[in-house]
Amino acid sequence: GPTEDDCNQKKDQSSCDALGCSWCTAGAVPPSCHTLENAAKLPSAVFKCDKTFESFSDNLLQNVTGFAL
């Protein structure tokens, strides 16, 4: 997967997500792009990330289940 440096270089949500990174917004700081692993470590009370390992694995599970049906 992408490195934290790869993710940090993305300055908009669509290119961040397309790379397989997580786009994180917070009230006090500009939005930023992180690896899923690092996004999961951010304090969730402050940062709202569109993807984390947790949601990624859930989605994967749902997709696989959906195909199986």
Side-chain angles (χ1 to χ4, degrees), residues 15-57:
S15 61
C16 176
D17 288 345
L19 190 63
C21 305
S22 183
W23 185 251
C24 300
T25 56
V29 296
S32 50
C33 187
H34 300 281
T35 63
L36 301 187
E37 189 179 4
N38 286 342
K41 295 175 187 169
L42 294 169
S44 58
V46 179
F47 289 91
K48 305 297 179 204
C49 301
D50 61 359
K51 290 186 221 171
T52 61
F53 264 136
E54 200 174 293
S55 64
F56 183 69
S57 57

Side-chain angles (χ1 to χ4, degrees), residues 3-16:
T3 66
E4 179 70 8
D5 281 344
D6 293 335
C7 295
N8 289 165
Q9 287 171 15
K10 301 301 179 189
K11 301 302 179 194
D12 64 87
Q13 184 171 4
S14 56
S15 61
C16 176

